[in-house]
Amino acid sequence: TVSNLDVTALASFEASDSAFATVSGSEVTGAAPGIVNVTLANSATADAFVTLAVTSNVVAVNLTAVAVSSVTFTQTPSSSVSAAAGTAVTAAVQIAQALEAEGDTAGIYAWADFADGTRRAVYASELNVQESSASLDLSSPTSGAPWVITVASGAVGTCGDLVTVNWQACSTPVASDHAYVNVDLPGASGLVVTADESKVTSPSDPASQDPVSVKTQVSFATRVIFENGASQTLTGDSRVEVTVLNLDCATLVTGDADTVRVKSSVNRETCTEVQVLVSVASFGVETTVSVPIVYLASLEVLVSPFPSFTGSTSMVVTQLKQVECTDYFQHGTALLKAALTDGTEIDVTSHTTFDSTDSSVVLVESTRMRGESPGSVLVTGTWAGESASYDLEVAGDPVFAVIEEGGFTLSFGGSDVKRNQKTLYGYADEAEGVARVRIRFTDGTEFANFIEDVDWIPIPDLVTFASAVEAAISISGEGVLTLRGNYPEGVTLTVSKACDASQLTTNSLYANLWPRPKDVDLGQPDNLYEEPLRANGDTLSVQVRIHADNVMTTFQVILDFDDTKLRATSCTQGSGWPGDFECTLNDPANQVAFIGNKVDSTTSGTNVIVADIDFDVLDASATATMSGTIVKLIQLDANGNEDNANDGEPIVAGEVTVILAGGTGRRRALAAVRDAGDARTSLVVQRERDAYFDSHVRRRLQDAAFITSYIADKSLATDCGNEDPLYGDLTRDGQFNAEDVFAASVVSLGMAQGIVSYGDLCAEVQNRLDYNRDGSFDLQDILYLLRVAVRKLHFVTAIAVDSTDVVAGTSGDLVVSVSVNNYLGEPVTSQMGVRMEMSYNASDGDPAPASVKDEAHPAINDHWVLKSSHIGNGVWQVAVHAEPFWYARVFGVAIMLETTDTSGAASNERYVSMAGASVEPYGSNGIEFTSVVEVGVAGEYIQSPSPPPSPPPFVIDIYDDTELGAIFDLETKVVYVAGNDPLPADFGRVAMQFTPFLSRVMRNGKEYFAWLPSTEDGKLSEERIDQLVIETERYQEWIATKRTSQEINAEIEEQVAAG
C-alpha cells in the first residue's frame, strides 16, 4: 500500500455540474454561485471527490512581480531516486538578477496572494508589462516563455522600479506591481584593436600583383575591455570611430568606417606604415594602431639544373656544358625572385616571361634554358613590368657522366601488369616496364631519371641496355622492358655508358607470365620472395590456377614434372572450384592428372584456384621442370554456347622451372616450403553428393531448349547405328575426356528436370551410361567417368560367362572373363586386379583350385571370393569348379575392379564393384551383394543309395586301404567310396572328406570321376584309379547279386505262402 503519493499527473478530473464550475486539467474555474463536486473522470472511484462552494464574494488580491536573470540549484536533487513512495526529496534554488552588460536579459515573473491565504502564479499571457527606462528593451512573451527585458545598446547604469506589471482578467485590471531592476554597467578600462592584414602596399606597386598579392587595404576589429574583466566586441558599431593619422599615405574606404586603403600615389620613403586612431567616445576609450606598408625592393634571375632532382633548387648554374658521349648540351631552369622592402622573398617565376639575347646559344622555352651551341647570353626575366637579367654561358668542354651502383631501377605501367618491387607479371609480349637510370655528372648535376626526364638526348647516345635472358625479359635500346616468358631466377639487366662499356650497373627482375584466357598457371599469381634452400624431404606446394574468361563448367589437365627431383604426395581441390573434383598421383610417376565438373557452375575469373598439389623434394641439388597439357576446358558464354579453344594445347603460363637449391637467389614462388615433418594426406576424401544440383541461380544451360539441343547435337537420343566407337565416348568424337563427363552430366540434369528420360536415349548410350552395370544411370556413373578420366579406374567393356560344363552332380569348369580397357581404349594388362564374388555358398562345397581363392578378404555371407588371372589382351579370367560337385541352383557373380598406381599403392577411390560386392572393403561401406551376371547349374543330382549292411567280403590283390578314395560311374550313376567293405573299426580307416579336385578318366570304354580324400595331395596315380574302377565294378556286381538273391527268396516265400 502506498500513501501520500501525488498522482495528479496521472489522473483526469470532472465537475458534477458545469453550470457552476468547469475543470481543465487539474484547474477548477468557477462559473456561477453554487455547490459542485469535483471527482475523478470516468467514474474511476466514487470515494475520491471534493465539494466546492462557488460564491460571488470578492476576494482581495496582492500581486508581486520580479525580474530574474538566472536560476541555479543550491541543493541539487538526484537525477534518479530509489526510495519508498512518499519519501521527501529536497531541492533548493537561488534566483538572481545581474544586468551588467549590453545585451544581458531578465525574465518578468509574477504571482498573486489572495486574502483567503491562497497563492497562484500569474501566466505571462495574463500580464501587461511596460518598461520605463531607455536603458531597457522589452520583448513580448512567446509560447511558454516570460516577458523579457534586455539591456539596450548605449545603456547607462540605472536602478529602481523600472518595470510596471498589470494583471488583467477579461480586459479588467485585477492587480499591479512594479519590478525592481538594477542596470549595473561597469566602466571601460581599455580598447583592443586588431588588423586583418599584417602588411599592405600601394595599388600602384608590383607587390600588389600575383603571385605576391600583398593587399592594398586593411580592416580593423574593435573590442572594449571592462573593469570587471568582461569584454564586448564593437566591430561595425557606429560608436566606434576610426581616424587615419597619415592622410598623405592612406584614407578611409567610403562606406566602410572600419577599413583603410593605401593611396596609389605615395612617397615610398615617408609612407612606411598606415597609422589610425580608434576611439569609442561613449566608453571614453581610444588607442593607436599601425600596419606596415611594403614595396617591391628588387628582382633576381637565377638558373638551376634541368631536369630537377633532389637538392637541385639550391644549386646555381652559370654554365651549360656538353654531355659526355653526346653532341648535346645541358639544360637549365630559370627562376625569378622578388624581394620586398620588409625582406620577404617570393618566387614569381610562374608569372614571368624569360628571354635570351641569342636563341642560337640558349633557346628559351618557358622557364627552360636549352643549351644549343657554345657562347654567352643575357637571360632576362620580366614580371609586373619589372625586369632583371642573368649571364649564362654554354661551354664546349664536356661534363663527364657517372653511372653508379644502385642507379638502375625499374618501373612498371599498364593495366595488364602486376607489380611488386622485383616482378614483371602479365601476358607474354604485352606486359611492359620501363628502366629508370640515374646519371650523375662531375659538376654535381644529375639526371635523376634519364629515360623519362631527358627528352633532348637520344637514349642510345648516352647509355646502352642488355638482358641476360632475352627469352624471358627483353629490353630495348630505349629502356623498355617486355615480358617474353617464365624464368626460374632473376633476369640480370645491364645498363652501361655508351662510350665506355666498363662503366655499368645491373638490376635483377623476375619474369612471371599471367595466364591468358583458357590457359593454366602454376604457383602464386604475382608473389616472388626469398626462399630458403630446399633439402631432401622438404615439401613444395604448388597452386594450380585457370584463367576462365567465361563461365567454366569442366576442365581436365595433366601436369608433367621431373620425377627424379620431385615426388607428388597429395592433391586437393582448390578453394576457387566448387564442383566435383578428382585427382590422380603417380600414375605414371611423373604426372598429376586432375579433372573438375559442375554443369551449373557460375565460376569465372582470371585466377581460379582449382587444385593444390604437394611434392616431396627428392634431389635438392638442381632444378626441376614443370609443364602440362590442357586436355579439355569447357566454358559457356551468356547464351549457353560452348567457348572452347585450348583443348589438347600445352599450358603456357604454367610452364616453369623450379630452383631447388643453389644459393639464396630469388625464384618463381610456387608456394611456401614446409618442413618434412608436416605430413599431408595424399588422398582426396571421397565426397558423397546426395544433392548434386544446388539452389544457385539457374543459367541458360539448364533451359529445356539447351538440354534438348545438346542431346540432339551429340546424337545421344537417336539411333546410334552399328558403329562401335571408343567406350565412354558419348560425344562420338573418337576420344574419351572431360567433355564426355560433361555430356553425361547434361543428360543427368535433363533427367532430374524431366526434360529427357532414360528411355529417350539410344540403346547403345543407355548401356554405356551404366558404367558400373547396376542397371541404372545415376551420379555414381558420373563419378565413375571422372575417375576413369584421371586413370584411377578403367572401363569394363565386356563380361563373358562360359557355364557349358556346369551341371549338377558334376564338377565342370565355370569360366568368367572380364575385358578391361583404359580411357584410350587400350587393353589394361597391369596395375590392376579383378576379383569375383560368387553367391555359391561355401557350405555347399569349396571352389577347386583352378583359380586362387582370396583368403584375406572373405565375403561376409560366406560366398566364394576368387582372384582372376590376366590371360592376355586385357582379359581377366576366373575358372573354377565345385568339389565334390555342383549342386542344382542359380547363383550370382559380382565383379570387383581394383587398380593401383605405379608404386602399387591403392585407395578406396580405385575400387569399384559391378554391380555390388559384399567383400571388404565394400561391405563395411554399406554395399550389399548384387550380381552383375547370374549362373544356373543345369540338371539334377540324385544321391546314390547306401550299400547293403553286410556285403560279402571280397579280395583285391593290390588293395591298400591307406589310399582311400571315391569313384563315380557316369553310366550307372553309382558313387562308390573305398572303405565301405566290412573291415574292423580299428583297421585304420579315416573319415571320407574330399577336396574340390577330381580326375575324369576312361576305363574299358566307360567314363568315371575319381576323387582323393582330404588327407591326400597331388594327382591320383593310374594304379589307384585302376584299383578304384575294379572296386566299383565288384561293388556293383555284389549289389546286383544281392538284389537277385532277395528276389528269389521273396518268390519262394510267396509260393510257400500260397500253398
Side-chain angles (χ1 to χ4, degrees):
T1 301
V2 177
S3 60
N4 298 323
L5 181 62
D6 186 353
V7 294
T8 303
L10 304 177
S12 59
F13 304 92
E14 61 185 8
S16 59
D17 192 340
S18 60
F20 301 116
T22 59
V23 180
S24 176
S26 60
E27 185 176 285
V28 182
T29 302
I35 303 299
V36 65
N37 290 333
V38 178
T39 63
L40 293 173
N42 302 319
S43 303
T45 175
D47 298 332
F49 68 92
V50 62
T51 301
L52 299 176
V54 182
T55 69
S56 59
N57 297 335
V58 178
V59 180
V61 61
N62 181 52
L63 185 68
T64 302
V66 294
V68 178
S69 59
S70 65
V71 179
T72 56
F73 277 104
T74 58
Q75 186 172 356
T76 305
S78 174
S79 59
S80 62
V81 179
S82 178
T87 301
V89 178
T90 303
V93 297
Q94 182 179 24
I95 61 175
Q97 182 190 111
L99 301 174
E100 299 176 342
E102 295 176 1
D104 285 355
T105 62
I108 305 301
Y109 301 91
W111 65 89
D113 291 301
F114 297 95
D116 61 0
T118 60
R119 171 183 289 179
R120 86 168 180 90
V122 182
Y123 301 124
S125 59
E126 301 175 282
L127 299 177
N128 182 276
V129 180
Q130 295 178 335
E131 43 80 21
S132 60
S133 172
S135 293
L136 297 175
D137 292 330
L138 180 65
S139 301
S140 300
T142 57
S143 177
W147 291 78
V148 176
I149 56 173
T150 303
V151 179
S153 177
V156 296
T158 183
C159 63
D161 295 334
L162 304 181
V163 176
T164 300
V165 180
N166 293 303
W167 179 18
Q168 293 181 328
C170 300
S171 301
T172 302
V174 177
S176 63
D177 191 23
H178 294 87
Y180 178 81
V181 177
N182 181 17
V183 180
D184 186 15
L185 300 178
S189 61
L191 190 64
V192 176
V193 178
T194 56
D196 64 352
E197 298 293 338
S198 62
K199 57 189 173 185
V200 290
T201 189
S202 171
S204 62
D205 194 88
S208 65
Q209 302 299 308
D210 291 336
V212 179
S213 304
V214 178
K215 301 299 182 183
T216 60
Q217 61 185 32
V218 58
S219 297
F220 299 96
T222 305
R223 187 163 50 92
V224 177
I225 308 300
F226 295 99
E227 294 172 347
N228 63 355
S231 66
Q232 182 178 351
T233 298
L234 296 180
T235 301
D237 195 300
S238 61
R239 291 172 290 176
V240 177
E241 183 178 0
V242 177
T243 303
V244 178
L245 299 180
N246 53 343
L247 290 173
D248 56 337
C249 300
T251 185
L252 284 172
V253 174
T254 302
D256 189 347
D258 292 330
T259 303
V260 175
R261 66 177 177 82
V262 181
K263 292 182 176 181
S264 295
S265 179
V266 294
N267 187 324
R268 294 176 48 146
E269 300 299 328
T270 59
C271 292
T272 58
E273 62 182 6
V274 173
Q275 297 176 352
V276 296
L277 173 66
V278 181
S279 62
V280 183
S282 59
F283 287 103
V285 290
E286 65 178 17
T287 187
T288 301
V289 180
S290 64
V291 176
I293 301 176
V294 299
Y295 308 95
L296 175 65
S298 63
L299 292 175
E300 181 182 20
V301 175
L302 297 172
V303 177
S304 62
F306 178 90
S308 63
F309 53 88
T310 302
S312 64
T313 56
S314 63
M315 296 182 64
V316 176
V317 173
T318 59
Q319 284 186 330
L320 301 178
K321 297 183 178 181
Q322 185 175 355
V323 177
E324 182 190 15
C325 304
T326 77
D327 296 329
Y328 299 89
F329 295 90
Q330 293 174 314
H331 289 187
T333 299
L335 63 142
L336 183 64
K337 289 186 177 181
L340 304 183
T341 53
D342 64 351
T344 304
E345 287 190 348
I346 301 100
D347 185 347
V348 297
T349 306
S350 60
H351 289 67
T352 300
T353 300
F354 293 97
D355 195 12
S356 164
T357 56
D358 188 345
S359 60
S360 66
V361 176
V362 174
L363 179 63
V364 176
E365 291 182 352
S366 183
T367 61
R368 183 171 171 182
M369 306 293 109
R370 300 177 63 102
E372 297 291 317
S373 63
S376 297
V377 298
L378 198 63
V379 175
T380 301
T382 302
W383 165 74
E386 302 292 329
S387 299
S389 298
Y390 184 80
D391 291 322
L392 183 61
E393 178 186 2
V394 179
D397 54 321
V399 60
F400 295 98
V402 178
I403 300 177
E404 297 180 335
E405 180 77 22
F408 181 19
T409 58
L410 305 166
S411 65
F412 309 103
S415 60
D416 290 336
V417 179
K418 298 292 182 181
R419 51 194 174 273
N420 53 32
Q421 292 180 347
K422 292 275 187 171
T423 309
L424 182 57
Y425 182 86
Y427 291 146
D429 303 327
E430 293 184 15
E432 292 185 344
V434 179
R436 296 175 59 92
V437 180
R438 184 181 70 243
I439 301 176
R440 298 187 188 275
F441 296 94
T442 52
D443 63 353
T445 62
E446 67 176 65
F447 294 154
N449 183 1
F450 172 61
I451 304 301
E452 294 183 357
D453 297 342
V454 178
D455 59 359
W456 73 96
I457 302 176
I459 294 173
D461 284 15
L462 185 55
V463 296
T464 57
F465 296 96
S467 168
V469 187
E470 289 282 339
I473 297 175
S474 64
I475 184 167
S476 71
E478 303 297 321
V480 177
L481 299 88
T482 303
L483 179 64
R484 304 299 184 187
N486 289 319
Y487 197 67
E489 297 180 290
V491 176
T492 300
L493 304 172
T494 303
V495 59
S496 59
K497 194 158 62 172
C499 56
D500 184 1
S502 65
Q503 286 198 35
L504 57 86
T505 188
T506 62
N507 205 329
S508 182
L509 187 64
Y510 302 95
N512 194 353
L513 287 182
W514 188 17
R516 292 182 182 273
K518 305 175 186 63
D519 193 16
V520 177
D521 195 14
L522 304 179
Q524 304 300 320
D526 60 353
N527 179 32
L528 290 181
Y529 50 88
E530 202 78 26
E531 294 180 352
L533 292 178
R534 292 190 178 91
N536 292 351
D538 280 351
T539 298
L540 171 67
S541 295
V542 177
Q543 196 177 79
V544 182
R545 294 170 289 106
I546 295 178
H547 184 171
D549 57 332
N550 262 315
V551 174
M552 180 170 65
T553 64
T554 309
F555 58 86
Q556 183 180 357
V557 178
I558 296 175
L559 178 64
D560 298 284
F561 59 93
D562 187 346
D563 61 326
T564 65
K565 308 294 192 305
L566 300 170
R567 178 177 59 235
T569 57
S570 76
C571 177
T572 57
Q573 183 167 344
S575 60
W577 178 245
D580 292 325
F581 180 82
E582 290 292 335
C583 185
T584 299
L585 308 177
N586 300 315
D587 198 0
N590 66 332
Q591 287 186 347
V592 176
F594 54 90
I595 187 173
N597 182 60
K598 184 174 175 63
V599 294
D600 59 346
S601 169
T602 58
T603 300
S604 64
T606 57
N607 283 291
V608 180
I609 304 173
V610 297
D612 292 288
I613 305 171
D614 280 359
F615 296 87
D616 276 353
V617 177
L618 302 180
D619 183 357
S621 63
T623 62
T625 58
M626 287 189 180
S627 59
T629 303
I630 303 169
V631 178
K632 198 72 182 178
L633 179 62
I634 299 178
Q635 296 186 147
L636 299 176
D637 62 20
N639 297 318
N641 299 318
E642 291 189 44
D643 175 23
N644 309 328
N646 283 9
D647 294 349
E649 295 294 324
I651 63 176
V652 177
E655 185 174 357
V656 297
T657 300
V658 183
I659 303 297
L660 299 178
T664 59
R666 300 164 65 88
R667 73 290 311 261
R668 174 180 171 84
L670 296 181
V673 179
R674 295 192 306 271
D675 292 335
D678 183 10
R680 295 287 297 273
T681 178
S682 62
L683 298 178
V684 180
V685 179
Q686 182 174 350
R687 298 172 304 280
E688 297 295 334
R689 302 172 182 89
D690 296 331
Y692 185 82
F693 302 106
D694 56 25
S695 60
H696 291 315
V697 177
R698 301 295 181 175
R699 297 179 293 100
R700 191 174 186 276
L701 168 65
Q702 300 171 354
D703 292 346
F706 172 81
I707 295 175
T708 303
S709 173
Y710 185 90
I711 292 175
D713 290 344
K714 303 301 181 183
S715 302
L716 299 179
T718 58
D719 184 9
C720 298
N722 297 320
E723 297 181 48
D724 187 20
L726 179 71
Y727 198 87
D729 179 20
L730 293 177
T731 60
R732 310 175 71 80
D733 61 358
Q735 55 185 339
F736 169 74
N737 53 37
E739 187 170 9
D740 300 292
V741 180
F742 177 75
S745 300
V746 173
V747 172
S748 176
L749 179 61
M751 292 171 58
Q753 296 187 356
I755 298 172
V756 64
S757 68
Y758 195 60
D760 293 336
L761 308 177
C762 68
E764 182 183 68
V765 174
Q766 285 184 7
N767 293 334
R768 291 195 171 177
L769 282 174
D770 183 18
Y771 295 99
N772 61 3
R773 298 176 181 265
D774 62 356
S776 65
F777 170 57
D778 53 26
L779 299 179
Q780 292 300 317
D781 295 293
I782 297 177
L783 180 60
Y784 192 106
L785 287 176
L786 287 165
R787 292 179 176 172
V788 171
V790 293
R791 312 168 189 168
K792 284 182 180 175
L793 296 176
H794 304 300
F795 287 124
V796 174
T797 59
I799 300 174
V801 178
D802 182 2
S803 60
T804 304
D805 295 332
V806 179
V807 179
T810 73
S811 57
D813 281 353
L814 169 66
V815 180
V816 181
S817 303
V818 178
S819 298
V820 183
N821 286 357
N822 62 15
Y823 71 101
L824 296 173
E826 301 167 342
V828 179
T829 61
S830 61
Q831 289 181 229
M832 194 190 72
V834 176
R835 293 189 297 158
M836 299 185 193
E837 179 180 354
M838 298 184 180
S839 61
Y840 196 88
N841 200 296
S843 62
D844 294 334
D846 282 336
S851 291
V852 179
K853 185 176 180 181
D854 188 356
E855 301 286 356
H857 300 92
I860 58 175
N861 45 16
D862 205 25
H863 291 173
W864 288 358
V865 183
L866 307 173
K867 297 179 181 179
S868 67
S869 299
H870 180 245
I871 63 172
N873 200 33
V875 178
W876 299 73
Q877 190 177 89
V878 163
V880 64
H881 52 261
E883 184 174 303
F885 40 76
W886 295 105
Y887 283 84
R889 66 188 60 218
V890 176
F891 62 92
V893 178
I895 296 172
M896 294 161 280
L897 187 71
E898 297 161 348
T899 70
T900 67
D901 62 19
T902 52
S903 68
S907 66
N908 283 346
E909 296 166 337
R910 289 179 170 272
Y911 287 4
V912 65
S913 64
M914 299 183 183
S918 61
V919 68
E920 291 303 320
Y922 307 95
S924 60
N925 289 326
I927 300 177
E928 298 180 353
F929 178 83
T930 305
S931 60
V932 68
V933 294
E934 289 188 341
V935 178
V937 179
E940 182 179 359
Y941 168 65
I942 301 175
Q943 188 173 0
S944 300
S946 299
S950 301
F954 57 88
V955 177
I956 299 175
D957 296 335
I958 60 173
Y959 179 76
D960 179 3
D961 81 348
T962 61
E963 295 185 11
L964 303 178
I967 194 165
F968 176 70
D969 188 330
L970 290 175
E971 180 181 341
T972 62
K973 302 297 189 291
V974 172
V975 175
Y976 172 75
V977 180
N980 279 351
D981 51 288
L983 295 177
D986 58 355
F987 194 76
R989 303 293 188 195
V990 296
M992 296 292 103
Q993 297 179 0
F994 301 99
T995 67
F997 188 88
L998 57 84
S999 291
R1000 192 168 186 170
V1001 297
M1002 295 291 294
R1003 291 292 188 274
N1004 303 322
K1006 296 181 65 176
E1007 190 174 16
Y1008 298 90
F1009 281 140
W1011 285 268
L1012 275 181
S1014 59
T1015 55
E1016 297 292 333
D1017 293 319
K1019 192 174 182 180
L1020 289 174
S1021 65
E1022 293 297 322
E1023 293 80 8
R1024 183 56 180 147
I1025 292 174
D1026 291 338
Q1027 178 182 336
L1028 289 174
V1029 169
I1030 294 173
E1031 288 187 23
T1032 188
E1033 290 176 350
R1034 292 285 305 274
Y1035 173 73
Q1036 292 184 66
E1037 290 175 0
W1038 179 80
I1039 289 295
T1041 303
K1042 179 65 176 177
R1043 183 179 295 113
T1044 303
S1045 174
Q1046 291 174 342
E1047 292 173 351
I1048 294 173
N1049 289 337
E1051 184 179 349
I1052 294 174
E1053 289 176 357
E1054 290 177 359
Q1055 293 176 356
V1056 171

